[in-house]
């Protein structure tokens, strides 16, 4: 799995800019919301190409059988 990173920048007026890396789709917004409690506090949102990439889920199943 790729490293996931959130970079926060705070300007002189206290405005916060957040940039995510390694997240795909809605996961970046969920991570930012968990970190910053974004509800009703976002003034603008710019989605990157990474946001629009399709998320692929990987599943691994291991079966074992014991001898009788």
């Amino acid at each position: 799995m790729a490293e996931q990173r959130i970079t926060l920048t705070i300007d002189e007026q206290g405005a916060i800019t957040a940039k995510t890396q390694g997240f795909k789709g809605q996961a970046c917004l969920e991570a930012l919301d968990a970190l910053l409690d974004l509800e009703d506090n976002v003034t603008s949102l710019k989605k990157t190409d990474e946001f629009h990439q399709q998320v692929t889920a990987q599943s691994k199943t291991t079966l074992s059988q014991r001898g009788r």
Side-chain angles (χ1 to χ4, degrees):
M1 175 178 246
E3 178 181 64
Q4 295 176 325
R5 178 179 297 185
I6 299 173
T7 304
L8 300 175
T9 305
I10 304 171
D11 69 15
E12 294 83 17
Q13 288 77 36
I16 299 172
T17 301
K19 179 174 172 118
T20 61
Q21 294 173 296
F23 294 89
K24 292 184 181 176
Q26 191 68 24
C28 65
L29 296 176
E30 292 168 359
L32 286 171
D33 189 39
L35 181 66
L36 300 172
D37 189 25
L38 297 178
E39 190 156 329
D40 298 326
N41 294 320
V42 177
T43 56
S44 66
L45 178 65
K46 180 181 176 185
K47 296 176 183 173
T48 63
D49 291 339
E50 197 172 29
F51 179 86
H52 299 289
Q53 292 177 0
Q54 188 173 19
V55 178
T56 57
Q58 294 182 352
S59 177
K60 181 178 180 180
T61 304
T62 304
L63 299 175
S64 60
Q65 185 177 14
R66 293 185 181 182
R68 292 184 183 176

